[in-house]
Amino acid sequence: MRLVIARCSVDYTGRLNAHLPLATRLLVHKGDGSLLVHSDGGSYKPLNWMSPPCSLRVAEPDADAQADGVVELWHVTHAKTGDALVVRIHEVIHDSSHELGVDPGLVKDGVEADLQRLLAEQVDVIGEGLTLVRREFPTAIGPVDLLLRDAAGGTIAVEVKRRGDIDGVEQLTRYLELLGRDPHLAPVAGVFAAQEIKPQARVLAADRGIRCVTLDYDGMKGTASGAPRLF
């Protein structure tokens, strides 16, 4: 992982256009190719980012950009959509690289672990005609919560959360990209399942072709809660 603190401006073009004016920010370039742009506020959420599969190319600025104080240009391009993130660096304050190794993955809390177990026993909550292949299906970047098969033999990867936000959708997107490379599994559909799913996560999931399922934890345990299981 490469960590760069720099004075920079950022432009995103593609399905949406966004601009970050010149300011000091943290640039995180991860081993999976993704780039995240952080400020000193906003908690864990980046101001802008590019998810894998993507590539980063460093270029020399042209004469006009140099005249504006740009010392380096980063071009990050998504391999599938063509979306582009351009970082114009005016000053590098810190630049370091670190080998983090293989992450063991998130240890789920009790409710989330119970949700996964209950859903594995009740895959009809996701849809009719589904069968469980395996819980915690292993991949090179961590285990997929549930791997299912539909009646036609298609593969479905399910990410289970207690509260579903954008990070969970991004996590499932990475799993789908990796699983889709396996000819024995491809094509792989995605389902994002949680007790509560934030509106922004729903929008991103729909954009990625991922179906959202709201889980009724009490109902799945056999306790009537009155909440709908699916929508």
Side-chain angles (χ1 to χ4, degrees), residues 6-7 9 51 69 71 96 101 129 141 143 147 167 183 185 212 220 226:
R7 291 183 62 249
S9 64
S51 301
V71 297
S96 63
I141 58 174
L147 198 71
D167 285 351
L185 299 176
C212 289
M220 292 170 68

Side-chain angles (χ1 to χ4, degrees), residues 86-109:
V86 178
V87 182
R88 294 174 174 85
I89 296 177
H90 289 246
E91 178 188 5
V92 175
I93 300 169
H94 171 86
D95 189 345
S96 63
S97 296
H98 308 270
E99 180 58 53
L100 302 186
V102 178
D103 192 276
L106 181 67
V107 178
K108 300 179 185 298
D109 64 27

